[in-house]
């Protein structure tokens, strides 16, 4: 081990941003290395400068940012012997040398895959472009290599995917497209900035496995930036912990996980949600913000008390029945025949009671976001109904309009999966968070501003960020802006689409605690979509598992995790990576590939071509599983 | 006679008969010396710049070949005709030139007159409103006789003194047509299938449309139409460049026996009229006056040397370069009453500082005068020109107070009896800077009388429509079109006889339509003018006509029906340095004179030393 | 601050010993509070101020527009005062020194002679005739704001002298004074016209792009139709029907409105095309889900994403509006005397005589250029101020 | 797509019908007609119109019939490819327009080419080099073109082209070539003249185009996908062309509908000022003289081109941006 040279050495790197008023030092003297063929994980609080460092390595800092000191030495293993390592910090922007490195020698996966793809080019085109640029390939070969790559990152139908556009893909699929783009050139160094946030655990395991095998086959080195300590434990050889642009602790994975020393690292590890938490147990966040919470909540306590007394506790606040949504397929060529429609959501029914949190997990691309959007009426359902009842009688959401529709909008809010594109790029954070208040005329302008400031601190953001524009934030910060906005109106139901995927565990703990407090104090209801099963386990009372657009299993959290009935649920649970060096994920044995493919499921869950042959079967205790009607219940529990 | 080099080759190859076969037995011989001109030599191209295809008629005007023509002293002389006889203005006998031929070599005979009279003028399809008014005396058609192939006669019961002048007019009444050519379009003579095919090829509805299109003589669009003019068109429209070639059978020769015209070709280039002064200044025209204005003089003069031309100043032949025309038929009753008050019209006339206008806009070269005949006319009297043209704002103000405009508003502007402000919108046709400037200056003068005026230019057509309907209170336009008449010209412009007389268009329409449209004259003086016009039409002697003219002119001057501002304004004429026989200074007018026509451009020639 | 770990050596476990304080979020001073809680408008204003050219441009525009209420005072002559003895006089130069001696601002008088050979008025500078310019002086009388009779001018010619700093026109009117008066019409016509066309273009294009569907279908057809009727016949037709009795001022408004009405289609289509793709963005969806109404989504979320184009097209449309009336005049539908505008003045300058002999009559093109440049630089500044990435 | 196309073609029918009605109305809005106009013109000079002929013509062209009937006669003719008859030229409209069309297309295409060739590179340059001296300089130059009225520019150009190069004033060729058939001399003469209108018509358009290209490109250059492309190691120029430029073209594509008609109508007013032998002056003249079939058919031709142009632009937009194509924007 000690013989491997370092492919990347970052020495005393300092990066600052030029802001309206003065400079902002974001990275303050960071040094670390990436040894050849190894994986180094960069972990740290949201906004601590991880992404900025990776941008600096690629020479892609935004206009406002500049390297104010230090070196980034890249030692290309392919270089002829004796060549000095290049200092990327000194290369001219967009010059020939740096262009050669980018993509070809250093690949990068961006943190926000959703908005990083061109909206007007097919993903195949964009991936193949990178390939052609850096790998000598024969004419006509490009497409097949690209499709093979797409398949490797988990596209079920790579041929079709090649011709799809970014907006036709779910968040996870887009992330996989980005992965494919970065990996297709076989770079010597891969910088993966949160490469798996939008992926469910089975796909995540598959992707991680792919990275590992490329690493061993090609000697690729990886700089892995992630919040998921489970991933870190399973992937990293060395770990660097960063906080506020400075390194707090660095060492081998062993050192970090077994002998954490710095208070920050200790706090991080303590903030992790784990599966055996007692009901009501709170996560320990680095900063406790329950004090900041008071002003956020008081505003509605009063009205709430009256409401809860009138509403019967048993009536669900939201009932979804037989929801179905298909997207039009694509034609081949201009005049070609229309391909099959994509069924995104099929025959989905569930209920959420007031004050409850329903977790929604499932494979990436299985239709979770679509369900959220259907409930919000952001897209039109093909069939089915959504009934909302906040005590003043049931309303059919799909038929709402006029003032009732307006009232509905204040009662239900959504946190978007993609924080980048859901924030107007030309509005300051202040205006973004204040907007719902303005729309619904709540309070005077100064009251609104005050409330915005309170919300900001509740989600752990500095008030000084208020007049910055969304693009100048880190991924996690943006996500929190989205959360603050959703909370602004005191809604009764929030649809949270991956609300904490970009947050480090301590901030995640802070936000989860906030959500939980709100739920308890205000009776807030959530539909919580997440890939992080530990998070879902912590926050949700009941969990629904979605596969291929259908709910395959739904159960209270304890039941689901203790005795999962469906093959898919079982596969999911097996694929969860633990932040524990003693429980490494078995990448080889787990039947990761195609966990969502019904063919790999137990026969009682296969529909054999007729979707109607499957029905929800009640196993008691609210545990329902989708299986063949003819099957005996015993068989399912076994 | 001497053969023209231009035709030498064609004559040699037998395509064209020799010069002696081409000329009539008795050509019209012009004695250059006695005319004060120099006999010249043939050759060259006359380049002229024009606006649009309608201007093709300029060649007809400039050519000025008519059955009879006015000479420079405005006497009627035979031109195409060898001679004519006029008995009491009732019986007219015309003698054609023996051997005279159309430009295609076919003989020009009495048949051509008969064809026009019988097959065109009397054909209800071709002439839905009957023969031209010039051919009617007291509403009656003449008796047409062919005495022999070279002699014809028109006979009326009552005198028709306007007949000969109308044949000599710049825009003549054509009483003959090339029968041999046009018969192919007339079902009376043409084969049915043949004609049907021609109609189809020409994309027209029927034979009459085809005939109409093929027979335009005034505007020579049809290159195939035989002509008697000095030049014939060779370019079929549409085109931007028309080339005219000399007519090999033209009937005029000079004293040396050279067939006229001297100039072989006319090249007419069409284009934007605003650019014409600039193009002329860069030497792109050889003899040009149309579309050149007085303001362009300096500019043209500056390039004289460089481009070898001279700019001459001719005199324009209008009765007034600009005249205000109060509309006596205005629809607004209050205004009509005021406009009909002679004191008002006199007041306005007295209120114009003509000297100032002349100085500012015309370098003092124009004449400050009412709208009347020019001194060049034998009918001119100083008193006509001077009537109410002195600048006397005090008297003007006094008169205005008298006509009921004595009340004024806070700003000092006069009010109408009904309390409206007496603002006058003066309408003009098109946007002419000189008109605008004149009105600007007049506006300043009238402001001193307590009257504000506004200029409203509009498209000529819309402008006329508004006048005809009485919506216009006052307009401004050129004065008398023919300001150098002799008593032989009809004095119709002085009496309410045509709708196009802007001061009384509805009375004019009444007269024109024989009382079926418009309004009958209901004022004594205009009625008197009409009576005088009637007298002229039945007059039999020049002396009688002269007294009628005198009386009409003096009534017009005294009544100030139109308020002339200046006349005798200058028209720049650009002449190529090598062109000879072009008068240095002359009268430039459409009627009489056909612009250049009366000076016979067929006698102009290029003096090129090297050739 | 940590040291770079040794190359290819085993990584030593490094632990930072810097003090660690999780609650390092500092309290804000009032000054910081002001900065960090400033509204978006204020932020933009701060950014705008840094764009020097734009600031200069806006000052120039301010001055130009500032002259509008005071034209009568600023112009040495009234717009229609004629001086028949000084027709087409070339500009008189302003001097400060005479024979090397300081005398203050003055002009030399001009002698003029009628040149009857080429019919031109020849002016020669008479160095003996020294005419001192008067300031805050009594000159041509006027009605200030149409109400107060006054005769005070910023500067006037010397008694009995002339002051044609930019020459005089064919009726002996002062070109400079007319330019000052002309600013009134020319500077406003563009704004009114552009407001109309932007209002229509943005609303119709915006709604079409945002809603799509039948509204889009109908509005696109309407645009096609408006678009397919060339301007000129419409102008001609309108010229024919516009009542003659309309005062020049009414005609002016009529023309402005027409200019505006004819101009919106291009913008509407551009807005629509852009919105068709922008409306698919998540933030639009987010706004809608918050309950934002169409105007809000359109004006707060969608159009800002298009602001560069809007500003650019506004700043390039203004000149065509200012000059548009010259095109109209060409067809006989322009403004007419006594209305004074730069377009009218330029229209009068449109012949070869002027180009060759009286070039100073083309001077009104200078303020037009100035206005256009300043509007464009102002636009640049605005664009940058609104640009979050900058 | 096919269905979309068919639908769009179907929609064009009522649009065209509507447009024809409007055009007819606009032409007939003027209270006068060709014949009274003709009479007016003649009388202005003291000439007299032969009333008999006027009557004859009026009847010949159906002016005794009510306007509605005339409209249907006209539209009916159009459907059969009969564009009517020009009163002025006494020729079928087709023959009148004739050769002018080619010259117009020559001038227009040269102008468009000129505009694009200059405006695009400059616009791209000044967007990528924002606030460089070259950006300011080129911008100012472009704006100058925008600020000087066409007419004045035309006069200045003609004047100095004549004074300095001895070029004949106005027109598209020296007069001697006007009726001549094609020859080297003629081509040379046309080339010697065509640059003036191209420059004049082009300058304003160029200035405007530079500004819009610049603005739209600046907007796109900051998008995240540009960074993605950079991360791939693409050459900046390739990136520019493939990504931001393509998205910035949106405004441009949406306006190509107006290119087609402008190619044919050819900047009428400038053409008049420059006395070009193109269709523009013909159209204006026809309008001014109320030569209604000539004007009407010509306008209808332009309208059809516009509508086709809009269709093309819609299709191009859909091609350019799949979001529009697939989310059902351009429905
Ligand atoms: N363009 C920018 N302008 C100004 N500040 C910026 C800009 N980009 C990032 N920052 C700031 O730099 C800091 C570091 O950002 P960075 O994106 O590197 O965080 P991160 O560690 O990746 O966080 P996360 O885990 O949330 O993605 C943040 O405080 C952020 O607000
Ligand atoms: N606009 C669209 N057009 C076509 N197909 C779409 C569209 N939007 C989504 N889809 C498809 O619908 C399916 C479900 O998408 P959805 O976004 O609901 O997934 P998801 O469960 O949220 O996945 P992820 O966890 O990756 O975000 C996917 O296969 C996606 O490709
Ligand atoms: Mg980040
Ligand atoms: Mg999703």
């Amino acid at each position: 081990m000690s013989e491997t040279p370092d492919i990347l050495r970052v020495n005393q790197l300092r990066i600052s941003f030029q802001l309206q008023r003065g400079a902002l030092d974001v990275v303050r003297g960071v040094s670390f290395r990436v040894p050849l063929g190894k994986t180094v994980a960069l972990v740290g609080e949201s906004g601590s400068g991880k992404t900025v460092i990776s941008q600096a390595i690629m020479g892609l800092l935004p206009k406002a940012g500049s390297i104010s000191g230090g070196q980034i030495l890249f030692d290309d293993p392919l270089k002829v012997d004796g060549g000095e390592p290049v200092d990327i910090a000194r290369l001219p922007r967009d010059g020939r040398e740096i262009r050669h490195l980018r993509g070809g020698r250093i690949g990068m996966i961006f943190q926000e895959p959703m908005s990083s793809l061109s909206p007007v080019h097919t993903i195949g085109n964009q991936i193949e472009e990178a390939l052609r640029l850096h790998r000598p390939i024969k004419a006509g070969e490009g497409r097949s290599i690209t499709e093979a790559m797409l398949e490797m990152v988990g596209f079920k139908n790579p041929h079709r995917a090649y011709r799809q556009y970014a907006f036709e893909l779910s968040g996870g699929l887009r992330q996989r497209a980005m992965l494919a783009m970065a990996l297709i050139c076989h770079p010597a160094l891969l910088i993966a900035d949160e490469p798996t946030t939008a992926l469910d655990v089975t796909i995540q395991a598959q992707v991680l496995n792919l990275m590992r095998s490329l690493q061993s086959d090609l000697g690729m080195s990886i700089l892995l930036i992630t919040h998921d300590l489970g991933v870190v434990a399973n992937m990293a050889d060395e770990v660097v912990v960063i906080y506020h642009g400075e390194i707090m602790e660095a060492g081998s994975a062993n050192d970090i996980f077994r002998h954490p020393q710095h208070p920050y690292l200790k706090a991080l590890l303590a903030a992790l949600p784990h599966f055996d938490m007692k009901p009501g147990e709170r996560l320990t966040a680095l900063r406790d913000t329950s004090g900041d919470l008071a002003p956020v909540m008081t505003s509605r306590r009063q009205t709430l008390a009256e409401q809860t007394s009138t509403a019967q506790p048993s009536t669900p606040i939201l009932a979804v029945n037989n929801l179905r949504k298909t997207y039009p397929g694509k034609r081949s060529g201009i005049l070609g025949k229309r391909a099959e429609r994509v069924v995104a959501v099929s025959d989905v029914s569930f209920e959420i009671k007031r004050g409850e949190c329903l977790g929604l997990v499932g494979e990436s691309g299985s239709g979770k976001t679509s369900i959220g959007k259907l409930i919000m009426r952001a897209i039109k359902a093909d069939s089915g109904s959504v009934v909302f009842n906040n005590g003043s009688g049931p309303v059919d959401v799909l038929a709402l309009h006029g003032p009732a529709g307006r009232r509905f909008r204040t009662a239900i809010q959504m946190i978007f999966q993609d924080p980048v594109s859901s924030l107007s790029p030309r509005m300051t954070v202040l205006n973004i968070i204040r907007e719902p208040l303005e729309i619904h005329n709540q309070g005077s302008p100064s009251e609104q501003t005050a409330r915005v400031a309170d919300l900001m601190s509740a989600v752990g953001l500095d008030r000084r960020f208020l007049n910055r524009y969304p693009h100048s934030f880190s991924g996690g910060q943006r996500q929190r802006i989205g959360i603050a906005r959703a909370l602004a109106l005191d809604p009764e139901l929030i649809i949270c689409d991956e609300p904490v995927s970009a947050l480090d565990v301590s901030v995640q703990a802070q936000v989860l605690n906030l959500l939980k407090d709100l739920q308890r104090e205000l009776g807030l209801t959530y539909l919580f979509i997440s890939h992080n099963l530990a998070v879902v386990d912590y926050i949700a009372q009941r969990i629904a598992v979605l596969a291929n657009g259908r709910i395959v299993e739904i159960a209270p959290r304890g039941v689901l995790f203790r005795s999962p009935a469906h093959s898919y649920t079982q596969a999911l649970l097996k694929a969860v990576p633990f932040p524990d060096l003693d429980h490494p994920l078995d990448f080889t044995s787990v039947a990761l590939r195609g966990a969502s493919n019904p063919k790999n499921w137990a026969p009682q869950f296969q529909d054999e071509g007729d979707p109607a042959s499957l029905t929800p079967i009640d196993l008691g205790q609210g545990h329902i599983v989708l299986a063949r009607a003819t099957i005996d219940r015993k068989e399912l529990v076994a | 006679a001497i053969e023209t080099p231009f035709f030498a080759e064609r004559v040699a190859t037998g395509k064209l008969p020799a010069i002696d076969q081409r000329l009539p037995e008795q050509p019209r011989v012009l004695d250059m010396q006695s005319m004060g001109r120099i006999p010249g030599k043939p050759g060259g191209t006359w380049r002229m710049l024009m606006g649009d295809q309608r201007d093709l008629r300029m060649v007809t005007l400039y050519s000025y070949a008519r059955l009879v023509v006015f000479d420079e002293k405005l006497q009627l002389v035979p031109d195409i005709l060898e001679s004519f006889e006029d008995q009491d203005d009732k019986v007219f006998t015309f003698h054609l030139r023996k051997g005279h031929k159309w430009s295609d070599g076919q003989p020009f005979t009495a048949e051509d007159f008969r064809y026009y009279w019988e097959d065109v003028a009397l054909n209800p399809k071709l002439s839905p409103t009957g023969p031209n008014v010039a051919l009617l005396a007291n509403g009656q058609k003449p008796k047409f006789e062919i005495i022999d192939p070279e002699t014809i006669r028109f006979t009326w019961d009552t005198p028709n003194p306007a007949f000969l002048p109308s044949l000599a007019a710049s825009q003549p009444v054509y009483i003959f047509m090339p029968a041999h050519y046009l018969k192919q379009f007339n079902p009376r003579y043409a084969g049915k299938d043949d004609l049907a095919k021609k109609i189809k090829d020409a994309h027209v509805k029927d034979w009459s449309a085809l005939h109409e299109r093929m027979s335009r003589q005034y505007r020579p669009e049809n290159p195939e139409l035989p002509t008697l003019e000095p030049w014939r068109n060779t370019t079929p429209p549409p085109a931007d460049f028309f080339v005219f070639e000399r007519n090999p059978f033209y009937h005029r020769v000079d004293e040396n026996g050279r067939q006229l015209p001297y100039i072989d070709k006319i090249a007419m280039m069409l284009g934007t009229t605003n650019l014409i002064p600039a193009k002329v200044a860069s030497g792109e025209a050889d003899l040009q006056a149309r579309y050149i204005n007085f303001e362009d003089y300096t500019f043209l003069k500056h390039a004289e040397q460089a481009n070898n031309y001279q700019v001459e100043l001719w005199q324009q032949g209008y009765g007034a370069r600009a005249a205000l025309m109060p509309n006596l038929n205005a629809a607004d009753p209050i205004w009509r009453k005021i406009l009909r008050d002679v004191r008002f019209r006199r007041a306005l006339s007295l209120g114009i500082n003509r000297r100032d206008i002349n100085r500012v806009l015309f370098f003092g070269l124009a004449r400050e005068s009412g709208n009347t005949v020019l001194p060049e006319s034998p009918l001119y009297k100083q008193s006509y020109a001077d009537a109410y043209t002195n600048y006397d704002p005090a008297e003007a103000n006094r008169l205005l107070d008298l006509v009921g405009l004595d009340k004024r508003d806070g700003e000092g502007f006069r009010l109408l009896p009904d309390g409206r402000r007496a603002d006058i919108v003066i309408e003009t046709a098109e946007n002419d800077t000189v008109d605008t400037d004149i009105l600007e200056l007049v506006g300043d003068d009238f402001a001193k009388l307590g009257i504000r005026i506004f200029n409203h230019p509009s498209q000529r057509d819309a402008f006329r429509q508004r006048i005809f309907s009485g919506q216009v209170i006052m307009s401004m336009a050129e004065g008398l079109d023919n300001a150098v008449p002799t008593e032989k010209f009809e004095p119709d412009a002085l009496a309410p006889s045509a709708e196009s007389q802007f001061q009384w268009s509805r009375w004019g329409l009444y007269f024109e339509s024989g009382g079926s449209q418009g309004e009958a004259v209901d004022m004594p003086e205009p009625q008197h003018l009409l009576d005088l016009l009637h007298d002229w039409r039945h007059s039999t002697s020049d002396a009688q006509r002269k007294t009628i003219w005198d009386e009409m002119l003096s009534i017009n001057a005294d009544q100030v029906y139109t308020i002339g501002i200046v006349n005798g304004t200058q028209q720049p004429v650009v002449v190529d340095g090598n062109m000879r026989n072009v008068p240095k200074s002359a009268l430039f007018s459409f009627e009489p004179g056909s612009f250049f026509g009366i000076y016979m451009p067929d006698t102009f020639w290029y003096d090129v030393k090297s050739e | 601050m940590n040291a770079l770990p040794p190359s290819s050596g085993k990584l030593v476990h490094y632990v930072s010993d810097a003090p660690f304080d999780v609650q390092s979020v500092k309290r804000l001073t009032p000054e910081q509070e002001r900065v960090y809680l400033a509204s978006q408008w204020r932020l933009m204003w701060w950014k705008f101020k840094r764009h020097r050219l734009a600031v200069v441009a806006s000052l120039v525009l301010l001055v130009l527009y500032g002259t509008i209420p005071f034209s009568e005072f600023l112009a040495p002559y009234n717009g229609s005062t004629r001086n028949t003895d000084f027709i087409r006089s070339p500009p008189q130069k302003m001097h400060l020194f005479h024979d090397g001696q300081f005398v203050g601002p003055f002009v030399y008088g001009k002698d003029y002679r009628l040149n009857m050979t080429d019919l031109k008025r020849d002016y020669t500078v008479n160095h003996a005739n020294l005419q001192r310019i008067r300031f805050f002086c009594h000159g041509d009388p006027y009605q200030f704001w149409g109400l107060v009779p006054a005769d005070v001018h910023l500067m006037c010619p010397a008694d009995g002298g002339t002051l044609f700093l930019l020459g005089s026109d064919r009726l002996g009117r002062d070109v400079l004074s007319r330019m000052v008066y002309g600013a009134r019409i020319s500077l406003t016509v563009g704004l009114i016209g552009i407001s109309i066309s932007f209002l229509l273009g943005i609303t119709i294009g915006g709604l079409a792009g945002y809603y799509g569907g039948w509204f889009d279908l109908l509005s696109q057809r309407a645009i096609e139709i408006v678009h397919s009727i060339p301007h000129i016949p419409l102008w001609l037709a309108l010229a024919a029907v516009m009542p003659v009795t309309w005062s020049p001022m009414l005609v002016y408004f009529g023309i402005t409105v027409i200019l505006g009405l004819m101009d919106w289609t291009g913008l509407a289509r551009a807005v629509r095309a852009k919105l068709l793709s922008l409306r698919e963005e998540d933030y639009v969806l987010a706004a809608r889900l918050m309950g934002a109404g169409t105007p809000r989504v359109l004006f707060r979320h969608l159009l800002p994403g298009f602001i560069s184009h809007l500003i650019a097209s506004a700043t390039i449309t203004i000149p065509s509006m200012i000059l548009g009336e010259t095109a109209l005049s060409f067809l006989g539908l322009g403004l007419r005397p006594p209305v004074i505008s730069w377009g009218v003045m330029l229209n009068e300058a449109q012949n070869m005589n002027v180009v060759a002999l009286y070039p100073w009559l083309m001077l009104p093109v200078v303020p037009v250029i100035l206005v256009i440049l300043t509007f464009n630089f102002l636009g640049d500044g605005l664009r940058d101020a609104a640009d979050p990435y900058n | 797509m096919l269905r979309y196309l068919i639908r769009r073609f179907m929609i064009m029918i009522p649009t065209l019908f509507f447009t024809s009605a409007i055009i007819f109305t606009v032409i007939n809005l003027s209270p006068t007609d060709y014949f009274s106009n003709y009479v007016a013109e003649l009388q202005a000079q003291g000439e007299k119109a032969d009333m008999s002929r006027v009557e004859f013509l009026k009847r010949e062209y159906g002016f005794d019939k009510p306007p509605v009937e005339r409209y249907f006669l006209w539209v009916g003719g159009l459907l059969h490819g009969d564009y009517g008859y020009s009163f002025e030229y006494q020729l079928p409209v087709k023959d009148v327009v004739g050769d002018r069309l080619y010259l117009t297309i020559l001038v227009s295409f040269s102008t468009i080419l000129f505009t694009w060739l200059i405006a695009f590179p400059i616009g791209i340059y000044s967007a990528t080099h924002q606030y460089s001296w070259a950006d300011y300089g080129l911008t100012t130059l472009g704006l100058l073109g925008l600020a000087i009225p066409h007419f004045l520019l035309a006069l200045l150009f003609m004047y100095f082209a004549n004074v300095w190069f001895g070029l004949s004033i106005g027109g598209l060729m020296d007069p001697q070539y006007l009726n001549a058939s094609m020859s080297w001399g003629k081509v040379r003469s046309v080339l010697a003249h065509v640059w003036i209108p191209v420059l004049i018509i082009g300058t304003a358009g160029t200035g405007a185009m530079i500004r819009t290209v610049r603005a739209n490109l600046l907007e796109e250059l900051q998008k995240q996908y540009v960074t993605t492309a950079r991360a791939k190691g693409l050459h900046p120029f390739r990136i520019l062309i493939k990504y931001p430029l393509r998205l910035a073209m949106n405004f441009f594509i949406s306006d190509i509908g107006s290119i087609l008609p402008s190619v044919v109508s050819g900047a009428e007013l400038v053409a008049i000022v420059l006395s070009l032998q193109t269709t523009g002056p013909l159209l204006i003249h026809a309008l001014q003289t109320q030569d209604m079939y000539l004007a009407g058919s010509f306008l209808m031709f332009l309208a059809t081109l516009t509508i086709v142009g809009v269709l093309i632009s819609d299709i191009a937009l859909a091609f350019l941006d799949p979001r529009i194509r697939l989310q059902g924007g351009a429905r």
Side-chain angles (χ1 to χ4, degrees), chain C residues 209-293:
Chain C
Y210 180 52
Y211 281 131
W214 66 266
F215 186 89
D216 184 34
L217 190 82
L218 279 189
S219 63
Q220 289 314 298
R221 300 296 82 74
I223 287 174
E224 268 172 25
I225 290 168
V226 174
H227 213 100
S228 59
I229 299 169
H231 295 188
I232 288 160
L234 205 63
W235 282 340
L236 286 174
L238 286 168
V241 291
M242 202 183 278
V244 247
T245 42
W246 275 15
S247 72
M249 242 18 223
L250 259 179
V251 173
Y252 155 64
F253 276 111
I255 288 168
T256 315
V257 172
I258 293 167
L259 284 175
L261 285 180
M262 301 297 300
D263 207 64
W264 61 272
T265 51
L267 186 67
R269 266 192 72 76
V271 170
R272 161 185 177 268
K274 187 78 181 180
L275 293 208
L276 279 178
S277 41
L278 277 187
R279 67 172 182 166
E280 302 298 331
E281 299 276 345
D282 263 354
Y283 60 83
V284 177
L285 184 62
R288 256 173 51 213
L289 297 189
M290 270 182 278

Side-chain angles (χ1 to χ4, degrees), chain A residues 167-173 327 344 364-370 417 531:
Chain A
F167 64 90
E168 293 177 281
L169 302 179
S170 75
L173 290 171
Y327 292 103
S364 149
S366 59
K368 302 181 295 297
T369 302
S370 299
Q417 182 174 16
H531 291 305

